[in-house]
Amino acid sequence: MKCILPILLLLPYTTAQEFQDLYCGDLNCYDLLGVTRDSSKVEISKAYRKLAGTWHPDRFRTQEEKKNAEVMFMRIAAGYEVLKDDESRKEYDYMLDHPEEYYYNYYRYYKRRVAPKVDIRIVILSLISIVSALQYYSTWYNFNQTIVYLATVPKYRYQALEIARSKGLLLNQKQKGVSRDKSKQMEDEVVRHIIADMMDSNGGYERPQIRDILWVRIVLFPLEAYKWIRFQGDWILRFWILREEYGTFEKEYITRTKLKYSERQWLALQDFEKELFLKKEFWIKVNWEEYCEEEAERERVKQAESGRSKQERRWLKHSDNRMTFDENYDW
């Protein structure tokens, strides 16, 4: 214990000297440049230029002199880097005034030197731009791949072909100058275009929009937030406080919100379909709960009558709780 105590007492002093070495070696940065703590930035710059000219390695001839001059030149440059910047100079002055806070000084010293020099705002803006570009490309890619797949599904392909024929968009097979492969390729393009229009207009799968990418969403966020707050405030005032009756717009809004339809999907419905939903009066809690129960029961019956469900029940009834890929295994 008697041997450890002197070491602990010397630790703050040793560490303070270490901090001084981190900045300007064994000299004070002000003393190194021949200035004082009250010197202005102009005076510090003049002193640096004078010393840099004096200790520039090219002014010396022998290798030993050049080597010593280079070391001194680098120390002068390091001292100038510390004192020319207001923040760095402030941190250095704080270290001189509070040498006992060696851990904190050590942290500030390396934080400034290890921290990236690029403005964090530029990094954030660049990252948002990259994410927005990738988002836009990926959504268009997924949309095109979906349309290509749907064009191979007979249900959608036949409907698209009928629409194309009614609009006269398909080429005559006997038209001169058009090969069979070319005609097939053009037919596929027309089918994909019609399916894309149908999916987009009916709200099933909308085409990617510029307004949906991250950059635009961020820019429009204040406006969208204002609209949402205004709408919610108006709704609470009119229908919760003043107890007004729901109008046509409000009834349609509640209905499509309950059904989880987007505005485009709701507009794509036929008028009689909208009327059927509105007659159920989903804005009345009891009616909506009854509808949910009916839908749940309908889905349960549908699942029970499906071939896959029947197959699973047969397997649970007759199986011996083991799985096999043997085609002759009776389960």
Side-chain angles (χ1 to χ4, degrees):
M1 184 68 182
K2 294 181 179 180
C3 297
I4 297 176
L5 184 59
I7 297 176
L8 294 176
L9 294 175
L10 290 174
L11 182 59
Y13 175 78
T14 304
T15 313
Q17 291 295 111
E18 182 181 348
F19 277 114
Q20 193 169 347
D21 294 344
L22 287 174
Y23 284 94
C24 295
D26 56 353
L27 292 177
N28 183 295
C29 290
Y30 292 104
D31 296 338
L32 181 63
L33 295 179
V35 294
T36 65
R37 295 182 63 170
D38 297 328
S39 299
S40 63
K41 296 178 67 173
V42 176
E43 294 174 338
I44 293 174
S45 297
K46 288 181 178 180
Y48 166 71
R49 287 194 296 269
K50 182 178 179 181
L51 290 172
T54 302
W55 289 97
H56 197 281
D58 293 341
R59 295 176 60 89
F60 299 86
R61 296 182 179 180
T62 65
Q63 290 296 327
E64 185 177 356
E65 290 177 344
K66 285 180 177 291
K67 186 176 180 179
N68 295 332
E70 184 177 356
V71 173
M72 190 62 182
F73 182 82
M74 295 298 293
R75 293 176 64 183
I76 293 171
Y80 179 65
E81 287 293 326
V82 174
L83 300 181
K84 74 173 184 178
D85 181 72
D86 292 336
E87 287 296 323
S88 179
R89 184 178 180 180
K90 182 179 179 181
E91 292 179 1
Y92 181 70
D93 290 343
Y94 184 89
M95 189 207 73
L96 294 178
D97 295 334
H98 304 86
E100 72 282 357
E101 299 181 12
Y102 41 89
Y103 293 119
Y104 180 62
N105 293 329
Y106 192 93
Y107 163 75
R108 295 177 69 178
Y109 173 83
Y110 278 104
K111 178 183 177 182
R112 172 171 292 274
R113 279 147 185 80
V114 176
K117 302 300 182 181
V118 181
D119 192 340
I120 188 63
R121 291 171 295 183
I122 298 177
V123 176
I124 295 175
L125 293 178
S126 301
L127 182 61
I128 294 175
S129 300
I130 294 173
V131 172
S132 299
L134 292 175
Q135 177 190 9
Y136 189 68
Y137 169 79
S138 63
T139 50
W140 264 112
Y141 176 81
N142 293 334
F143 178 81
N144 291 329
Q145 290 298 112
T146 302
I147 299 303
V148 170
Y149 167 74
L150 292 176
T152 63
V153 179
K155 173 184 175 181
Y156 298 104
R157 186 175 184 86
Y158 293 154
Q159 292 181 16
L161 287 174
E162 289 297 326
I163 295 174
R165 292 191 184 98
S166 65
K167 294 182 178 181
L169 299 177
L170 295 179
L171 292 175
N172 191 341
Q173 295 290 342
K174 299 181 179 180
Q175 186 174 353
K176 295 182 179 180
V178 179
S179 64
R180 186 173 182 177
D181 293 339
K182 181 65 175 178
S183 178
K184 178 65 175 175
Q185 181 181 358
M186 296 179 69
E187 177 183 299
D188 291 340
E189 291 179 358
V190 171
V191 169
R192 288 195 293 267
H193 182 73
I194 292 176
I195 291 177
D197 288 341
M198 292 172 58
M199 298 296 292
D200 184 59
S201 60
N202 293 334
Y205 197 175
E206 299 181 19
R207 283 188 173 92
Q209 303 291 331
I210 294 292
R211 68 173 183 270
D212 294 328
I213 66 175
L214 181 60
W215 247 126
V216 180
R217 296 293 292 271
I218 293 175
V219 173
L220 296 180
F221 176 76
L223 178 60
E224 296 296 331
Y226 167 75
K227 289 181 178 179
W228 184 85
I229 294 173
R230 181 179 179 181
F231 177 81
Q232 297 297 327
D234 180 70
W235 189 280
I236 293 173
L237 175 63
R238 293 176 57 193
F239 304 115
W240 290 15
I241 299 177
L242 300 180
R243 299 293 181 177
E244 294 183 7
E245 295 290 333
Y246 292 130
T248 303
F249 171 79
E250 288 76 22
K251 292 179 180 179
E252 290 187 354
Y253 175 78
I254 295 175
T255 302
R256 71 176 180 85
T257 302
K258 294 282 188 180
L259 296 173
K260 297 182 179 180
Y261 283 4
S262 66
E263 185 175 0
R264 181 176 292 226
Q265 288 175 318
W266 177 258
L267 294 176
L269 295 176
Q270 300 292 333
D271 291 338
F272 75 91
E273 293 177 307
K274 296 179 183 178
E275 288 298 326
L276 288 176
F277 284 128
L278 291 174
K279 286 180 180 179
K280 295 181 182 294
E281 299 183 345
F282 290 150
W283 49 91
I284 300 176
K285 185 177 180 181
V286 177
N287 295 344
W288 172 246
E289 291 176 350
E290 291 179 355
Y291 175 80
C292 291
E293 292 176 358
E294 293 174 0
E295 288 297 309
E297 179 64 20
R298 187 180 294 109
E299 182 65 22
R300 188 189 66 79
V301 173
K302 180 180 177 181
Q303 291 292 335
E305 295 178 350
S306 66
R308 184 178 182 85
S309 178
K310 293 178 180 178
Q311 190 180 44
E312 290 176 353
R313 290 200 300 271
R314 285 197 302 270
W315 183 83
L316 291 174
K317 182 177 180 180
H318 303 291
S319 70
D320 55 359
N321 293 327
R322 64 188 180 95
M323 298 184 66
T324 178
F325 293 97
D326 186 1
E327 295 180 356
N328 298 319
Y329 182 72
D330 185 14
W331 59 278

